[in-house]
C-alpha cells in the first residue's frame, strides 16, 4: 500500500510537470485517497469530493490511470469528478461547499440500502453557506454519514483569522480537545487526526468508523503540496498552475520577460490605493483576483445617461450584425465576408445587455432586410432572442447565434463556436440566403 502511495505521487508529479493542474490540493491527499479506496468499496460506498479538484488520485484508482501515466492520454479526463468518465464519480463538480449531499443519505435510507456515504470537504470549502446547511442536514438524518474535513489551513491562500477558521485552528492546536468544538455541538461524533499524511493512521481511522449507524466527522490535518518540497514551502503558489520544472520547482516559462500584464498593472494600482486610503475596500471571489476600484471608474468617460444606446461601428444596409461583447470581432469578420459578395453590412456593438436600443432597431427596418445577432452566451433566452421578439411583427428576418444550453467540459473555443455556427463563413452564407 505504501508503494502505491509512492507510485501515485510520482505519476501525479510527472503529469503536473508536463501538463499542470491543481498541484497542491492533489499532492496533499495522496495518502488519504489511497486509504479511502483501501477501506471503502467504491462505487457501492459513495465517496463525494468537494470542489473535486483534489480527485486526481481517485481517478488513478478507479480505472483512469492511463490518463496520468501516458502523456498521449493526459487530456482523456477532466480536472474534476465527472460521471461520464466513471461510475465512481457522482457529480460534475467545479467548485465548493457541495459535497455534504444529504440527499444521498436520504435516498439510501428510503431504498433500504446500507452503503457508506463519505463526504470529503476542505477547510476552505467550509466557508460556503451551502456547507453549513449540509452539516446541519446530515446530522438531522441521523444515520450512516462520514464527513472528512481535510484541514490544511489553506483555501487558495492561507486562511484568515476568525469564524470557522479560528475554530479549526483551536482544534488543531489542542489535538482535537478544544472545548468549543463546533462539530460536537452540532451532534457529530468527532475524531481528530494530526498526521493526515500518514497512510497507516488514516486506514485505521477509516476502518474504525466504517459502517457507522450515525453521523461522524473526521477532522484530518494534511499538508497542501505534501511530498514536493517547493509546494510545501509555498502553498499558495502551487495551489494550481501550468507545467512545473520538477528540478527547480519553478513554473515553466516563469521569469521570462513578457512585458507588463493587465493583471500586474491593475494589482499594483489597487494595492497602492488600499495602502493610501483605509476606506477603500476590494471585493473578490474566492480566487485572489482584483476588481476595478474607484479611481478607475472615475477615469471612465462613458456617458451612462445614454444607457442602452448601441454603438454603430460601421453603417451599411441590407444586413445588420450585432456583435455582443467578445463576438464584436467575429461580427466584423462576417461583415468582411459579406463585403466580398457585394453586401455592405452594418456592424453594431450593443455595449449594454440591460435593454434594447429601440430607436436604432426601428431605424434598421427602413433599409435592412436581415438582422444577425452573435453572442457567446446561451442562445435560449439571450440578448439575440430579445431583439427577435421586438422585431417579430416587422418584415425584417432575424438570425440568432449563440451557444446551446449545455455544460461543455474541456473544449477548444474555436471548435465550440464552430459547432454552434459561429464562424464568419457560416454567418455570411446564412445572411446571403435570407436576402435571396
Amino acid at each position: 500500500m505504501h508503494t502505491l502511495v509512492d507510485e501515485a505521487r510520482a505519476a501525479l508529479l510527472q503529469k503536473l510537470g508536463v501538463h499542470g493542474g491543481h498541484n497542491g490540493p492533489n499532492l496533499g491527499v495522496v495518502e488519504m485517497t489511497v486509504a479511502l479506496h483501501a477501506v471503502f468499496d467504491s462505487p457501492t460506498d459513495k465517496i463525494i469530493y468537494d470542489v473535486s479538484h483534489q480527485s486526481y488520485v481517485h481517478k488513478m484508482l478507479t480505472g483512469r490511470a492511463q490518463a496520468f501515466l501516458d502523456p498521449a492520454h493526459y487530456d482523456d479526463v477532466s480536472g474534476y469528478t465527472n460521471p461520464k468518465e466513471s461510475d465512481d464519480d457522482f457529480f460534475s463538480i467545479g467548485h465548493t461547499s457541495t459535497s455534504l449531499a444529504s440527499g444521498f443519505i436520504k435516498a439510501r435510507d428510503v431504498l433500504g440500502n446500507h452503503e457508506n456515504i463519505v463526504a470529503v470537504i476542505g477547510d476552505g470549502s467550509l466557508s460556503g453557506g451551502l456547507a453549513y446547511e449540509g452539516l446541519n442536514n446530515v446530522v438531522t438524518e441521523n444515520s450512516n454519514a462520514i464527513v472528512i474535513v481535510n484541514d490544511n489551513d489553506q483555501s487558495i491562500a492561507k486562511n484568515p483569522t476568525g469564524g470557522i477558521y479560528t475554530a479549526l485552528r483551536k482544534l488543531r492546536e489542542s489535538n482535537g480537545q478544544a472545548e468549543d468544538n463546533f462539530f460536537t455541538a452540532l451532534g457529530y461524533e468527532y475524531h481528530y487526526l494530526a498526521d493526515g499524511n500518514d497512510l497507516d493512521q488514516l486506514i485505521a481511522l477509516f476502518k474504525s468508523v466504517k459502517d457507522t449507524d450515525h453521523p461522524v466527522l473526521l477532522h484530518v490535518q494534511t499538508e497542501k503540496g505534501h511530498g514536493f518540497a517547493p509546494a510545501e514551502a509555498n502553498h499558495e503558489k502551487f495551489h494550481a498552475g501550468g507545467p512545473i520544472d520538477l528540478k527547480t520547482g519553478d513554473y515553466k516559462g516563469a521569469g521570462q520577460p513578457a512585458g507588463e500584464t493587465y493583471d500586474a498593472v491593475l494589482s499594483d494600482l489597487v494595492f497602492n490605493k488600499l495602502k493610501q486610503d483605509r476606506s477603500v475596500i476590494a471585493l473578490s471571489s474566492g480566487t485572489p483576483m482584483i476588481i476595478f476600484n474607484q479611481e478607475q471608474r472615475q477615469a471612465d468617460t462613458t456617458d451612462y445617461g445614454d444607457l442602452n444606446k448601441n454603438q454603430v461601428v460601421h453603417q451599411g444596409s441590407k444586413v445588420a450584425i450585432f456583435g455582443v461583447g467578445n463576438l464584436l470581432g467575429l461580427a466584423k469578420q462576417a461583415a468582411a465576408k459579406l463585403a466580398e459578395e457585394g453586401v455592405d453590412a452594418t456592424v453594431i456593438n450593443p455595449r449594454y445587455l440591460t435593454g434594447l436600443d429601440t430607436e436604432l432597431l426601428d431605424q434598421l427596418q427602413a433599409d435592412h432586410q436581415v438582422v444577425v445577432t452573435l453572442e457567446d452566451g446561451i442562445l435560449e433566452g439571450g440578448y439575440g432572442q430579445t431583439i427577435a421578439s421586438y422585431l417579430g411583427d416587422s418584415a425584417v428576418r432575424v438570425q440568432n447565434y449563440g451557444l446551446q444550453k449545455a455544460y461543455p467540459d474541456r473544449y477548444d473555443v474555436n471548435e465550440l463556436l464552430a459547432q454552434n455556427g459561429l464562424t464568419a463563413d457560416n454567418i455570411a452564407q446564412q445572411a446571403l440566403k435570407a436576402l435571396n
Side-chain angles (χ1 to χ4, degrees):
M1 201 68 68
H2 289 273
T3 301
L4 181 59
V5 167
D6 294 338
E7 291 175 345
R9 180 167 277 112
L12 189 59
L13 283 169
Q14 188 64 34
K15 180 172 180 177
L16 293 174
V18 174
H19 192 273
H22 280 93
N23 309 308
N26 285 283
L27 290 167
V29 296
V30 176
E31 292 84 2
M32 179 186 293
T33 309
V34 171
L36 282 168
H37 282 278
V39 174
F40 298 100
D41 180 23
S42 177
T44 300
D45 291 325
K46 307 296 188 289
I47 304 174
I48 307 166
Y49 293 90
D50 209 286
V51 184
S52 82
H53 63 1
Q54 77 283 50
S55 63
Y56 293 4
V57 176
H58 164 78
K59 294 193 175 195
M60 292 184 200
L61 301 177
T62 52
R64 291 166 278 181
Q66 188 179 31
F68 296 86
L69 298 172
D70 184 350
H73 292 273
Y74 278 171
D75 289 315
D76 286 1
V77 299
S78 74
Y80 303 91
T81 56
N82 186 340
K84 293 181 180 179
E85 294 177 4
S86 171
D87 289 340
D88 294 88
D89 294 1
F90 305 105
F91 292 110
S92 293
I93 298 177
H95 239 275
T96 83
S97 312
T98 53
S99 67
L100 298 169
S102 56
F104 273 82
I105 302 169
K106 175 66 74 174
R108 176 202 58 202
D109 294 349
V110 167
L111 294 173
N113 296 334
H114 303 285
E115 69 268 19
N116 291 277
I117 307 297
V118 183
V120 182
I121 185 167
D123 51 324
S125 293
L126 284 179
S127 64
L130 191 61
Y132 290 94
E133 181 179 347
L135 284 171
N136 180 72
N137 288 348
V138 166
V139 174
T140 60
E141 295 298 334
N142 195 32
S143 60
N144 172 284
I146 300 168
V147 177
I148 301 173
V149 175
N150 172 33
D151 184 1
N152 54 34
D153 195 23
Q154 297 278 314
S155 298
I156 291 178
K158 185 176 177 61
N159 288 331
T161 299
I164 190 67
Y165 300 124
T166 292
L168 290 171
R169 197 165 291 129
K170 288 181 179 179
L171 286 167
R172 292 196 306 270
E173 293 171 351
S174 65
N175 199 38
Q177 301 302 310
E179 292 184 4
D180 51 346
N181 188 318
F182 173 74
F183 305 110
T184 58
L186 284 174
Y188 285 94
E189 176 188 324
Y190 174 86
H191 299 265
Y192 176 75
L193 178 60
D195 191 350
N197 294 106
D198 185 297
L199 179 64
D200 295 328
Q201 292 188 57
L202 285 163
I203 290 175
L205 177 60
F206 294 163
K207 285 183 175 178
S208 72
V209 298
K210 183 181 181 182
D211 300 325
T212 178
D213 63 357
H214 58 278
V216 299
L217 188 138
L218 311 181
H219 183 183
V220 179
Q221 183 176 349
T222 60
E223 180 179 32
K224 193 172 185 176
H226 185 74
F228 183 52
E232 293 175 352
N234 192 330
H235 296 129
E236 181 177 349
K237 176 182 177 181
F238 288 94
H239 172 80
I244 304 170
D245 186 324
L246 299 179
K247 293 182 179 179
T248 65
D250 294 324
Y251 283 109
K252 293 178 180 178
Q256 296 179 357
E260 288 186 309
T261 65
Y262 177 86
D263 285 346
V265 172
L266 182 57
S267 295
D268 289 342
L269 180 67
V270 173
F271 281 120
N272 287 335
K273 186 66 176 177
L274 289 169
K275 290 178 181 178
Q276 297 165 7
D277 187 349
R278 289 179 55 85
S279 67
V280 175
I281 297 175
L283 301 178
S284 72
S285 59
T287 52
M289 302 297 289
I290 302 298
I291 62 173
F292 291 110
N293 65 13
Q294 185 177 15
E295 183 177 338
Q296 288 172 309
R297 293 198 301 272
Q298 290 174 344
D300 184 1
T301 59
T302 303
D303 181 5
Y304 290 99
D306 220 10
L307 186 64
N308 296 328
K309 293 300 181 183
N310 298 166
Q311 177 188 21
V312 178
V313 177
H314 175 77
Q315 181 66 57
S317 62
K318 295 185 179 180
V319 177
I321 308 176
F322 286 74
V324 176
N326 293 331
L327 295 193
L328 178 59
L330 181 59
K332 295 176 181 178
Q333 294 171 19
K337 293 289 183 180
L338 286 169
E340 295 174 3
E341 302 297 329
V343 176
D344 183 20
T346 298
V347 178
I348 299 168
N349 175 12
R351 299 194 299 168
Y352 304 96
L353 301 183
T354 53
L356 298 180
D357 186 344
T358 57
E359 181 180 356
L360 175 61
L361 290 173
D362 290 341
Q363 292 172 359
L364 290 177
Q365 297 178 47
D367 54 1
H368 290 75
Q369 290 77 57
V370 180
V371 167
V372 181
T373 66
L374 314 178
E375 54 193 309
D376 59 354
I378 301 300
L379 177 62
E380 184 178 336
Y383 179 75
Q385 290 190 353
T386 304
I387 288 182
S389 177
Y390 182 82
L391 296 174
D393 291 332
S394 73
V396 176
R397 301 188 66 178
V398 181
Q399 298 177 336
N400 298 137
Y401 292 88
L403 304 180
Q404 296 178 1
K405 186 181 289 185
Y407 295 96
D409 184 2
R410 288 144 295 142
Y411 59 89
D412 178 272
V413 173
N414 291 326
E415 290 180 3
L416 182 63
L417 292 176
Q419 291 168 10
N420 289 274
L422 284 159
T423 66
D425 285 334
N426 181 64
I427 294 163
Q429 290 172 11
Q430 298 305 317
L432 288 171
K433 288 181 180 179
L435 284 175
N436 296 329

